[in-house]
Amino acid sequence: MIALAQTQPFARGGNRLCFVHPQDAHRCIKVRRPDFSLADRRRKKGFPKNLKPLSSFDDNREEWGVMQSLNRNLGEAVYQCVSRCYGFVETDMGKGLCSELIRNGDGTIAQTLKKELWDAGFSDELRQAVADFVQRWEAVGVPSRDLLLHNLVVQRERESISRIVVIDGLGSQGLVPFFWLPRAVRQKKIARKVANLYQRIDKLLGQRGQKEFPGYHGLLFHNDAPPSNQGNSSQ
């Protein structure tokens, strides 16, 4: 049993809290928010989605299934641009999903693309990093929901950007499984998600004159550097 309840999460999503794994600083554990149950999620949905079983609203269960599919269909290549997933662990906050925690060369947790853009704009370096990410994404052929700016993190080595990695929002919600579709249809779907990504970047850049960061998605609650003897990097 891994104790998380008395520690501070480093990030929060709409449905989950993210904690640094107490025994491995290069892994994180995602658990459901205790203030927002699966029943609460189902109640917010309209008909007919509110008729689905509670298990269908479990983000951890869905993500684990998606990651198994990606590994099966795309193999090692997918981890060039997607964080790894290691399966479930038992915690004092319920069953948690254990994933790779993307850290920078100095050990700090990598910031989201949303935060990077908000702080410094779309620099030439960041623009090139996004272009490199898109090229890999399309070449590998990764299915995703919308590529949201807070679901992409920017990993740095010695102040320079080394890569951009997707940490959430994977999988396709179409009626026909993504990998059953003809290659041309898959590529078209991916291209549309990429186009939407650039639209989101432009929209956020247009909001930078505001005083406050738009929402809490994409913010770190803490950004600790692990001790040199804690855990081994999996990157």
Side-chain angles (χ1 to χ4, degrees), residues 142-162:
V142 188
S144 71
R145 301 192 291 272
D146 289 331
L147 290 168
L148 303 180
L149 302 181
H150 62 264
N151 285 338
L152 284 74
V153 299
V154 180
Q155 188 178 36
R156 293 180 175 274
E157 294 287 344
R158 297 186 181 88
E159 302 303 319
S160 297
I161 299 173
S162 57

Side-chain angles (χ1 to χ4, degrees), residues 219-234:
L219 291 176
L220 295 177
F221 298 151
H222 64 81
N223 198 345
D224 61 320
S228 59
N229 62 347
Q230 183 179 6
N232 295 312
S233 173
S234 58

Side-chain angles (χ1 to χ4, degrees), residues 23-54:
Q23 283 86 50
D24 190 338
H26 295 276
R27 296 190 180 192
C28 67
I29 301 174
K30 303 174 184 179
V31 298
R32 290 202 306 269
R33 283 172 46 186
D35 60 329
F36 193 50
S37 67
L38 295 182
D40 292 333
R41 288 196 65 193
R42 183 165 64 180
R43 276 193 293 270
K44 288 186 66 176
K45 300 295 182 181
F47 180 84
K49 290 185 178 180
N50 57 6
L51 300 178
K52 291 183 177 181
L54 282 179

Side-chain angles (χ1 to χ4, degrees), residues 29-32 60 87-91 93-98:
I29 301 174
K30 303 174 184 179
V31 298
R32 290 202 306 269
N60 277 349
F88 288 97
V89 294
E90 294 294 334
T91 83
M93 297 181 68
K95 186 172 290 188
L97 188 64
C98 186

Side-chain angles (χ1 to χ4, degrees), residues 19 30-31 36 110 120 126 131 136 139 143 156 178 197 207 212 215:
F19 294 86
K30 303 174 184 179
V31 298
F36 193 50
L126 186 54
R136 287 194 298 271
R156 293 180 175 274
F178 181 82
L197 170 63
Q207 296 174 317
E212 295 185 0

Side-chain angles (χ1 to χ4, degrees), residues 95-124:
K95 186 172 290 188
L97 188 64
C98 186
S99 300
E100 178 185 9
L101 177 54
I102 306 299
R103 289 187 179 270
N104 299 314
D106 64 0
T108 55
I109 299 170
Q111 294 279 3
T112 64
L113 177 57
K114 182 178 179 180
K115 186 65 163 59
E116 291 271 350
L117 288 164
W118 185 261
D119 288 347
F122 209 13
S123 66
D124 290 342

